[in-house]
C-alpha cells in the first residue's frame, strides 16, 4: 500500500485551487518558496529525524539537540544561507535549543539596548557564535513583575566595574533558555545601584563560563532547572538557574543605549527616546502571533486528516462506516479551530504591517500610535496563544484514544507550546494591560481625544450602543457589515459597562482591581473584534485562484459566528442582537460547516507541511495511518525484550506464590 | 526554615472548622480515617517515593512500577489489609500499573459476565494473582463503536473450542492496559461465529502467556504500543497490542452468563436479563466521577497554596508585594474550579446512592429507572472529566512559569488524567447518548409518560418555559430556588428548542445528525443542572461543624453563578432571566469570591492530601516553595556534570571555529 494516497478522494472534492491557497497561507510567493525549499531540506536530512525524540532520556535528548544545532549551523554555513533562510532552517528543525535564545533574545537585546560601540564589539562575536548568549531576566521570585527583580549591579568607582550579585535565594535567575548548560554569556537584568542610589532595572552583558574549558567563572553558580512538561518538548532546552557571588564586570558592559553610568558613577539618561524599546516588544509579539497560527494549524492538520481516515459507526448492512469528520459534533469542534488558524495567520500578517508602520513613525519621532499598537499586540499575543494552547489539546481529543500516543505528535506539540501563554507576558497580565488602555480610551472620549487604530470604533460609541442588528434570515449573517457591527457593538458595550462600574469607585485603582475579572473579558472581546475585522479586511483584497476567496469567506464566517455563539450572552446583553438573531447565526454556522467539509483536507494541505515537520503518524499526508501506527509501536524500548526488565524480580514471585495470609 | 509553616497566617484566617470539613469531603468519618491512615502509610514508605519519576526512561519507569506493584501486594498481604484498604493503598501509590486493570476490569468482567461455575474457577486464581488479567476490547480500528470490533471467535464443534483470530491489521487489539508486557490472561471481546452465523460481540477468557516462562503462547503476538503523553504519567502502564493467529480456547472460556454456545454450537440466550450489565456501567462511571473530583481537587490544592505563597507587584515603597491569590482574575479562574471540585464530590456521593438504588431495583426486576440512570451517569462522566482535564491545565497556568516544571506536579497530573475524557466512552459520544435520552423524554411528554429522576423537571416544561426570575438585587441570587429554577428553565428551554428543530426533519435520525452539535450543548446544560441540584440537596442536610455549611453554601453559589455567567446566552435566550439579572448574578459572584478568599487555604487543606500524594513542590503544605524548588532543580541528570555530554563534540568546535563562508 506504500505510495497510495488514501486521502485522494478527499483531495478531489475540494472546490478551490490549493496551490493558490498555499501562497495565501505563506503570505507571498517568495515566502512559500522559501518555506517549501527549506522544509524539504530539513526533512530529507537524517540528522534532523525526530520520530525517536520522546523515547530519549534527558541527557540523550540534550545531546541530540546539540548535535542538531551544530549540524544546522554547518548546513547554514556550507550552503551559504541568508539570515532569513537560516532562521527558517532552525524553525523547521523544530526542536527548542539554546540557539533560539542566542539568535532570538541575546542578539536582539544587544541590538536594541546596546550603544553603537557595544554593538560593534559584541555582535560580530555573537554572529559568528564565538560566544553564545542567553537572556537572563526572570528570577525565582519574579517573572511578571520585572521591576521587582532582586539581582543587583552595584557600581564600584574604585575599579570602574559593576558588581553583579544575588542577594537572596529568590534573586536566583531562573528559566532563561540556553543558560543551564551552554551559554558562555548572558544579558543579565539587574537593579542598578550607584553611590548607594537605586536606578531601576537595566541589562548587563556578563560572561558566565570560560571560553577555554566551559567551566563557570569564579562567583558564578549555574545549572539546569530540571524536567518540564512532556517527553521531548521543551526538555531539549537547558532552561537554567544562575547565581552571582559578587561577580565583577567592566563598566562598559552595561547596555547603555538608553541610560548610562559615567566613569564617576553618575547615572544619566541618553538622548535616545526610551519609547524605542516598544518597537522590540511589538516585534517579538508579532512573531508569537504568527507562531500561534503555525502551531494551531499543525494540530488542525493532524486532526483533520485523521478525522477523514477514521471511521466509526454508521455502517448499514456491513457497509463502510462513517468518517468521523462527517459527525457534526466533530465539525463543530474542529472547523472553528481551522478557521482560527487562518484568522490568526491574517492578523499576524497585519501585525507585520503594524510593526513597519510603528518603526517608521518612531524614526520620525511620532509616538502617537505607540500606546495603541502596544496594547493591541499585547492583547493579540494573549488571545492567540490561549486559543492555540486549548486548540491543540482539543485536536488531540478529536483523535480519540490514538491522539494520546506520542506517535500522534499531539502530546509533544501541546507540551512544547503551552508556555507561550506564560512567557513574553503572562496572558492575564497582558489582558489587564489592554483593559487599562481601553478604559483610558473610553474615559478620554469626552475630551475630544479621537481614538485611533484598533480602538477607532470607540469613537462611535454612542451609535454602537444604539446599534440593533437588522438580520432577518440566516444568510444575512454572511454580510460582512452585519458581523462587524455586532462585534463592535458588543466590545463597545462591554467597555462602557465596565467604565460605568469603575466610575462608582472613589479610588480608581481599587475599582480596577475589584473589576479586573470583568475587565479581562472586555479585553478579550476587543481582541476578537480586531481578529474579525482584519480577516474581513483581508477579504477586501484581490485574492487570485479559483474558489480561494470564497473558501476564506466561509472560514471568516465560521470564525465570527462561532465566537458569536460562544459569547452570545455578551451580544444579547448589549442588545445589539436578539435571541432570534442569535439562533439564526447558529443556523448559518451549521450551514457553513457543511461548506467547509468537502474542502477540509485541501484547506489543511494548503499549510504545505512536510510529514517530517508535522511529526505525526495520524496526520500523514497519505493517510496511511494504521500500518504506520502498528510499525511505530514496536520501536518502544519496552519491546526490546519479550519479558520486561523487573519481571523475574517482581512479578514472577507473585504469580508463583502460595498466599497464606491474604484475606482477599 | 525547615518546619516553619509559611501558610499559618492563611490557616488562621479560616472562618470554619477544617476538621469537620475533612469529614464532609471524605464522605464519612470512616472514609476519612481510612484515607488518612493509608495515605500516610504510603507516604512514609521509601519504595513508594515518586519525586524522581519523570526523570526515568521508559524501561526504568516500568521496572519501578513493577517494583511498587509487588511491594504494594506485599504490604497488603503482610498487613492483612481488607479489600477496601488494599484498593486505597494502590490508589495512593498513584502510579498507573497493570494491577489497576487486573482488579478494576479483569476481575469485574468475570464477575459481571461469567457464570457461577466460571467465577468459581477463575476468581480464586485472580484474587491470589496466580494469573494476571486485562480487559482487551478496543482494537486499532474500533474503540467507540464496540459493535464494529473485527476479532473473531469461531466455534469449532469438532474440538469443542473457539478459534480466536485477528483477520485484519485493524482488528489488532490496541490500548488495553497491562496487556503489553505483564498480563498472563485477558478477557478478549470478539465477534462470535457459530455454524457460519454471527452473533455479535462477546467476552472470552484467553491465556496469552506461559505461566512458566512468560513467553507468549503460540499464535499470540503481543507488545507495548509505545510512549504516551507526558513523562512519567501513563508511561508506567503497558498499554498493549495483541494479535491472534487462530488461537484455540476451550468452549467454556466464553463468558456465558448472558448467552451461551452449546456443545453442538447452538447460540442461546440465558434467562439472566441483559440489563444487568448496565449496573456495571453505572458502577464504573460513578468511580470516574469521584476520581474527577480527586484529580481536580489535587490541582486546585496546588494552585491555591502556591497562589498564596507567590507575590507579584503591588508593593508600595519597598513593602511586601501582593499575594497573587488576591488578584481578582486569579480568583475568577481558581475559585470556580475549587467550587467544581466540591460540587463533583457531592454528585459523586449521590451517584453512590443511585448505584445502590439501581442495584436493588435490578434485583427486584424493576428496570424502570435504568435508562435514566444510565444516561445521567454517562453525562456526568462526560461533564466532570472534561471540566477536570481543562481545570488541571488552568491550575498549571495559574502557577505562572513554575507550573511548567515537572516538580510542580501539574504537568504529570494533566498528562495522566486527560485520557479519562476518552476511555470508558468518548465524552462527545456520551453527550449524544444523553441528548438522545432527553429528546425521547421530551417527545413522550404528551403521552402521559411522566419523566422521573434527573429528568423530572421536564414534567413541568410548560411552567418552566414561562418561568421569569424575580431576582431584583444581587443577594437574591443566594436563594437556592432562584438558582435552581433558572437552571431548570434553561435546560428545559434548550431541550424543547432542539426538539422543535428536530421535528422539522422528516427523517428523525438525519435530524439528530444535523443538529448534534446543539444536542451536545443541551446535554451539557442538563448535566450542569444535575450537579447544581445535587449540591443544593446536599445543603438541605444537617452538616455539623462551625461555619462548614456556610462555606459550602458559598461554594455552591460560586459553582452555579459562574456557570450562569459563562452560559449567559442560554439563560437570556430562554428568557428566564434578563440582562440586568445576569449582571446582578455576576455582581454576586464577585462578592462570593471575596468570601472564599480568606477560607481558600483551609478549603484545600480539607482534602487532607499528604505532600507525597500531591507530589508538588508548589503545593507543599508548609508553603516552603522556593528553597525546595531550588533543591529539586539540582537533581536533574543534566546537572550530574558541569560540562554536558556532547559539548566537546558539537558546541566547542563552533565556539572555536574560524568562519570562512558565513554570510551572516
Ligand atoms: C518555557 C519557558 C521559557 C522561558 N524562557 C525565559 C528566558 O529565556 N528568559 C527569561 O528571563 N525568562 C524566561 N521565562 C520566564 C517567563 O518570562 C516567566 O515565567 C513569565 O514572565 C511569567 O512570570 P511568572 O512565572 O513570574 O508568573 P507569575 O507572575 O508568578 O504568575 C502567576 C499567576 O499570577 C498572576 N498574576 C501575576 N501578576 C498579576 C497581576 N498584576 N494581576 C493579575 N494577575 C497576576 C498570573 O496571571 C498567574 O496566573 C521562561 C518561562 C518558561 C515557562
Ligand atoms: C490511556 C488509555 C487506556 C485505555 N485502556 C483500555 C483498556 O484497558 N481496554 C480497552 O479495551 N480499551 C482501552 N482504551 C481504549 C479506549 O476505550 C478508546 O480509546 C475509547 O473507547 C475511544 O475510542 P476511539 O479511540 O476509537 O475513539 P474514536 O471513536 O475513534 O473517536 C475519534 C473522534 O470521533 C468522534 N466520534 C466517534 N464516534 C462518534 C459519533 N457516533 N458521533 C460523533 N462523534 C463521534 C469522537 O468524539 C472523537 O472526537 C484505552 C484508551 C486510553 C487512551
Amino acid at each position: 500500500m506504500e505510495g497510495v494516497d488514501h486521502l485522494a478522494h478527499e483531495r478531489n472534492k475540494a472546490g478551490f485551487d490549493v496551490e493558490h491557497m498555499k501562497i495565501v497561507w505563506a503570505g507571498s510567493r517568495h515566502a512559500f518558496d522559501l518555506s517549501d525549499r527549506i522544509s524539504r531540506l530539513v526533512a530529507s536530512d537524517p540528522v534532523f529525524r525526530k520520530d525517536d525524540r520522546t523515547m530519549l532520556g534527558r541527557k540523550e535528548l540534550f545531546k541530540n539537540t546539540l548535535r542538531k544545532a551544530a549540524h544546522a549551523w554547518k548546513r547554514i554555513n556550507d550552503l551559504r544561507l541568508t539570515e532569513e533562510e537560516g532562521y527558517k532552517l532552525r524553525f523547521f528543525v523544530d526542536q527548542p535549543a539554546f540557539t533560539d535564545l542566542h539568535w532570538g533574545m541575546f542578539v536582539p537585546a544587544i541590538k536594541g539596548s546596546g550603544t553603537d560601540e557595544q554593538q560593534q564589539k559584541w555582535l560580530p562575536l555573537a554572529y559568528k557564535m564565538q560566544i553564545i548568549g542567553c537572556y537572563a531576566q526572570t528570577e525565582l521570585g519574579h517573572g511578571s513583575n520585572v521591576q521587582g527583580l532582586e539581582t543587583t549591579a552595584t557600581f564600584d568607582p574604585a575599579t570602574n566595574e559593576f558588581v553583579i550579585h544575588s542577594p537572596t535565594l529568590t534573586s536566583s535567575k531562573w528559566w532563561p533558555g540556553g543558560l543551564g548548560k551552554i551559554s558562555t554569556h548572558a544579558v543579565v537584568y539587574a537593579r542598578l545601584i550607584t553611590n548607594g542610589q537605586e536606578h531601576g532595572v537595566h541589562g548587563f552583558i556578563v560572561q558566565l563560563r570560560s571560553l577555554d574549558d566551559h567551566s563557570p567563572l569564579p562567583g558564578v553558580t549555574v545549572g539546569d532547572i530540571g524536567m518540564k512538561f512532556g517527553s521531548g518538548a521543551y526538555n531539549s532546552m537547558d532552561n537554567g538557574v544562575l547565581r552571582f557571588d559578587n561577580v565583577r564586570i567592566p563598566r562598559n558592559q552595561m547596555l547603555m543605549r538608553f541610560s548610562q553610568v559615567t566613569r564617576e558613577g553618575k547615572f544619566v539618561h541618553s538622548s535616545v527616546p526610551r519609547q524605542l524599546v516598544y518597537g522590540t516588544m511589538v516585534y517579538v509579539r508579532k512573531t508569537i502571533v504568527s507562531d500561534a497560527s503555525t502551531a494551531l494549524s499543525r494540530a488542525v492538520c493532524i486532526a483533520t486528516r485523521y478525522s477523514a481516515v477514521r471511521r466509526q459507526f454508521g455502517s448499514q448492512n456491513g457497509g463502510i462506516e462513517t468518517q468521523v469528520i462527517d459527525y457534526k459534533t466533530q465539525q463543530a469542534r474542529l472547523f472553528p479551530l481551522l478557521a482560527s488558524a487562518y484568522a490568526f495567520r491574517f492578523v499576524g500578517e497585519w501585525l507585520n504591517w503594524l510593526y513597519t508602520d510603528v518603526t517608521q513613525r518612531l524614526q520620525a519621532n511620532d509616538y502617537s500610535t505607540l500606546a495603541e499598537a502596544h496594547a493591541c499586540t499585547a492583547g493579540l499575543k494573549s488571545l492567540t496563544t490561549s486559543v492555540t494552547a486549548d486548540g491543540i489539546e482539543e485536536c488531540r481529543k478529536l483523535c480519540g484514544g490514538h491522539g494520546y500516543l506520542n506517535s500522534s505528535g499531539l502530546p509533544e506539540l501541546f507540551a512544547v507550546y503551552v508556555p507561550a501563554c506564560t512567557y513574553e507576558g503572562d496572558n492575564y497580565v497582558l489582558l489587564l494591560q489592554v483593559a487599562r488602555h481601553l478604559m483610558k480610551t473610553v474615559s478620554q472620549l469626552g475630551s475630544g481625544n479621537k481614538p485611533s487604530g484598533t480602538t477607532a470604533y470607540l469613537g462611535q460609541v454612542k451609535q454602537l450602543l444604539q446599534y440593533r442588528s437588522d438580520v432577518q434570515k440566516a444568510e444575512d449573517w454572511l454580510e460582512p457589515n452585519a458581523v462587524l457591527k455586532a462585534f463592535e457593538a458588543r466590545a463597545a458595550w462591554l467597555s462602557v459597562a465596565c467604565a460605568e462600574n469603575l466610575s462608582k469607585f472613589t479610588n480608581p485603582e481599587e475599582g480596577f482591581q475589584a473589576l479586573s475579572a470583568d475587565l479581562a473579558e472586555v479585553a478579550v472581546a476587543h481582541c476578537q473584534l480586531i481578529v474579525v475585522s482584519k480577516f474581513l479586511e483581508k477579504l477586501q483584497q484581490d485574492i487570485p485562484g479559483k474558489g480561494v476567496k470564497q473558501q476564506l469567506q466561509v472560514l471568516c464566517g465560521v470564525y465570527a459566528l462561532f465566537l458569536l455563539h460562544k459569547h452570545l450572552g455578551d451580544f444579547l446583553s448589549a442588545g445589539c442582537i436578539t435571541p432570534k438573531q442569535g439562533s439564526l447565526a447558529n443556523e448559518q454556522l451549521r450551514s457553513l460547516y457543511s461548506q467547509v467539509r468537502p474542502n477540509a483536507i485541501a484547506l489543511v494541505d494548503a499549510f504545505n507541511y512536510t510529514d517530517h515537520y508535522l511529526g505525526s503518524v495520524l496526520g500523514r499526508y497519505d493517510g496511511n495511518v494504521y500500518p504506520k501506527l502498528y510499525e511505530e509501536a514496536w520501536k518502544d524500548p519496552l519491546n526490546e525484550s519479550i519479558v520486561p526488565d523487573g519481571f523475574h524480580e517482581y512479578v514472577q514471585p507473585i504469580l508463583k506464590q502460595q498466599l497464606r495470609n491474604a484475606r482477599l
Side-chain angles (χ1 to χ4, degrees), chain A:
Chain A
M1 300 285 270
E2 207 77 43
V4 174
D5 180 1
H6 296 259
L7 289 170
H9 61 290
E10 287 289 340
R11 300 195 160 103
N12 291 334
K13 277 188 207 166
F16 70 97
D17 181 336
V18 186
E19 297 309 315
H20 270 95
M21 188 66 94
K22 287 182 180 171
I23 310 292
V24 174
W25 175 264
S28 69
R29 160 67 60 188
H30 167 77
F32 171 78
D33 286 341
L34 178 75
S35 286
D36 190 60
R37 185 162 44 86
I38 304 289
S39 66
R40 285 167 201 272
L41 186 79
V42 172
S44 65
D45 193 326
V47 174
F48 294 134
R49 70 173 276 205
K50 52 183 191 177
D51 53 327
D52 55 350
R53 187 163 55 189
T54 66
M55 287 176 243
L56 303 178
R58 181 88 207 274
K59 280 169 139 180
E60 290 167 281
L61 176 65
F62 192 68
K63 187 173 176 183
N64 173 274
T65 311
L66 301 185
R67 179 170 181 231
K68 286 183 178 173
H71 189 64
W73 182 241
K74 186 171 179 321
R75 297 301 283 156
I76 289 169
N77 289 312
D78 288 355
L79 300 171
R80 298 169 158 265
L81 299 187
T82 62
E83 191 168 337
E84 191 186 24
E85 290 166 331
Y87 168 80
K88 274 282 170 200
L89 188 133
R90 283 196 304 275
F91 173 85
F92 283 117
V93 169
D94 187 39
Q95 188 155 312
F98 65 95
T99 39
D100 301 349
L101 283 298
H102 176 79
W103 294 109
M105 298 290 285
F106 180 69
V107 167
I110 296 174
K111 270 189 182 172
S113 308
T115 60
D116 290 348
E117 206 180 324
Q118 288 176 320
Q119 298 194 30
Q120 274 153 32
K121 169 166 180 194
W122 294 98
L123 290 181
L125 294 169
Y127 282 148
K128 290 190 220 141
M129 294 195 82
Q130 290 172 327
I131 63 173
I132 297 173
C134 66
Y135 184 89
Q137 178 175 300
T138 307
E139 298 174 354
L140 196 45
H142 289 89
S144 298
N145 181 15
V146 178
Q147 295 314 316
L149 295 177
E150 297 174 88
T151 303
T152 50
T154 311
F155 184 63
D156 180 358
T159 60
N160 196 23
E161 289 171 321
F162 290 105
V163 182
I164 313 287
H165 189 61
S166 312
T168 58
L169 179 75
T170 47
S171 73
S172 310
K173 293 292 171 189
W174 190 269
W175 273 118
L179 166 65
K181 304 309 286 182
I182 299 298
S183 290
T184 61
H185 289 66
V187 170
V188 172
Y189 287 83
R191 223 170 246 289
L192 170 65
I193 303 171
T194 63
N195 300 321
Q197 267 216 315
E198 286 222 8
H199 302 283
V201 170
H202 297 265
F204 300 83
I205 301 179
V206 185
Q207 180 171 352
L208 305 175
R209 288 181 169 95
S210 151
L211 290 172
D212 287 329
D213 64 3
H214 206 60
S215 60
L217 295 186
V220 171
T221 306
V222 61
D224 185 274
I225 57 170
M227 293 272 291
K228 290 145 290 189
F229 208 148
S231 36
Y234 237 93
N235 292 301
S236 56
M237 180 72 89
D238 54 333
N239 295 91
V241 46
L242 170 65
R243 290 184 59 78
F244 296 104
D245 181 6
N246 294 298
V247 170
R248 290 178 167 265
I249 58 167
R251 182 173 58 92
N252 66 8
Q253 287 179 211
M254 169 176 162
L255 292 171
M256 299 220 199
R257 184 163 179 214
F258 298 109
S259 16
Q260 286 134 22
V261 170
T262 65
R263 178 63 190 89
E264 297 73 41
K266 247 189 82 186
F267 176 76
V268 285
H269 286 292
S270 77
S271 60
V272 179
R274 288 208 68 102
Q275 285 95 331
L276 284 187
V277 295
Y278 285 107
T280 317
M281 268 180 146
V282 174
Y283 179 81
V284 172
R285 288 182 182 154
K286 100 186 161 72
T287 315
I288 294 186
V289 170
S290 74
D291 287 350
S293 78
T294 305
L296 183 56
S297 60
R298 238 170 119 168
V300 165
C301 180
I302 295 168
T304 303
R305 288 186 182 155
Y306 179 64
S307 294
V309 169
R310 184 71 169 172
R311 293 173 181 272
Q312 208 75 191
F313 296 104
S315 88
Q316 258 99 27
N317 321 318
I320 198 161
E321 290 172 287
T322 308
Q323 292 165 283
V324 298
I325 197 173
D326 284 325
Y327 291 116
K328 292 290 164 182
T329 42
Q330 194 84 353
Q331 296 179 5
R333 296 157 68 198
L334 181 58
F335 293 165
L337 296 173
L338 173 62
S340 302
Y342 274 92
F344 296 170
R345 199 75 184 170
F346 299 138
V347 86
E349 222 169 61
W350 172 75
L351 282 176
N352 278 334
W353 170 85
L354 183 74
Y355 175 64
T356 316
D357 183 64
V358 164
T359 313
Q360 282 168 358
R361 285 172 193 264
L362 282 175
Q363 276 156 8
N365 289 327
D366 168 4
Y367 308 127
S368 62
T369 63
L370 213 56
E372 188 268 319
H374 183 247
C376 122
T377 49
L380 290 173
K381 183 274 180 184
S382 174
L383 179 74
T384 57
T385 56
S386 288
V387 169
T388 297
D390 294 349
I392 295 169
E393 171 62 5
E394 187 66 17
C395 286
R396 197 192 58 71
K397 291 204 185 89
L398 283 160
C399 296
H402 302 346
Y404 191 59
L405 285 170
N406 280 350
S407 57
S408 79
L410 292 164
E412 218 191 337
L413 185 56
F414 183 78
V416 83
Y417 188 76
V418 285
C421 298
T422 306
Y423 57 56
E424 289 305 322
D426 168 273
N427 280 355
Y428 278 81
V429 174
L430 293 180
L431 286 180
L432 293 177
Q433 289 177 9
V434 178
R436 250 181 227 283
H437 178 70
L438 290 173
M439 291 305 104
K440 196 169 158 195
T441 307
V442 170
S443 74
Q444 294 177 342
L445 284 178
S447 69
N449 249 349
K450 237 184 108 188
S452 67
T454 59
T455 53
Y457 68 102
L458 289 173
Q460 267 88 55
V461 74
K462 282 225 182 75
Q463 297 88 312
L464 287 173
L465 293 182
Q466 303 297 323
Y467 176 76
R468 300 290 173 264
S469 171
D470 58 2
V471 161
Q472 295 192 325
K473 46 188 197 317
E475 306 85 73
D476 292 347
W477 278 116
L478 295 177
E479 199 49 57
N481 222 32
V483 165
L484 185 64
K485 280 284 159 236
F487 272 80
E488 286 182 352
R490 165 210 184 204
W493 181 80
L494 284 171
S495 275
V496 170
C498 249
E500 274 171 13
N501 279 338
L502 274 177
S503 68
K504 295 175 196 153
F505 289 79
T506 40
N507 178 336
E509 190 49 35
E510 246 169 48
F512 193 88
Q513 290 298 338
L515 300 176
S516 62
D518 297 336
L519 285 159
E521 292 181 15
V522 176
V524 168
H526 172 70
C527 295
Q528 289 172 340
L529 164 62
I530 301 177
V531 181
V532 168
S533 67
K534 296 307 160 193
F535 205 148
L536 289 170
E537 276 175 23
K538 174 82 191 177
L539 295 172
Q540 303 292 309
Q541 294 173 17
D542 200 33
I543 302 177
K546 174 180 156 270
V548 170
K549 192 176 202 164
Q550 285 87 322
Q551 275 313 306
L552 294 176
Q553 278 163 338
V554 169
L555 289 176
C556 183
V558 167
Y559 182 74
L561 297 183
F562 165 77
L563 287 179
L564 188 147
H565 181 65
K566 183 174 168 196
H567 299 280
L568 186 60
D570 291 352
F571 291 86
L572 295 178
S573 297
C576 59
I577 71 166
T578 63
K580 171 75 193 164
Q581 290 169 327
S583 105
L584 289 173
N586 199 31
E587 197 179 318
Q588 185 56 38
L589 184 58
R590 280 201 297 270
S591 131
L592 290 174
Y593 289 154
S594 303
Q595 295 174 49
V596 173
R597 168 62 189 94
N599 296 290
I601 299 299
L603 283 167
V604 302
D605 284 349
F607 305 147
N608 199 44
Y609 294 140
T610 61
D611 279 347
H612 172 272
Y613 183 64
L614 272 185
S616 166
V617 173
L618 303 186
R620 292 171 61 89
Y621 181 84
D622 66 6
N624 190 26
V625 167
Y626 296 117
K628 295 295 173 182
L629 266 178
Y630 192 80
E631 246 177 76
E632 279 306 307
W634 296 102
K635 295 181 187 160
D636 192 272
L638 272 190
N639 288 326
E640 283 164 17
S641 64
I642 299 270
V643 177
D645 223 23
F647 176 82
H648 291 114
E649 198 173 342
Y650 300 120
V651 185
Q652 196 150 47
I654 297 179
L655 287 167
K656 300 274 187 222
Q657 81 191 316
Q658 294 304 332
L659 278 190
R660 252 173 262 116
N661 300 333
R663 277 212 234 152
L664 295 179

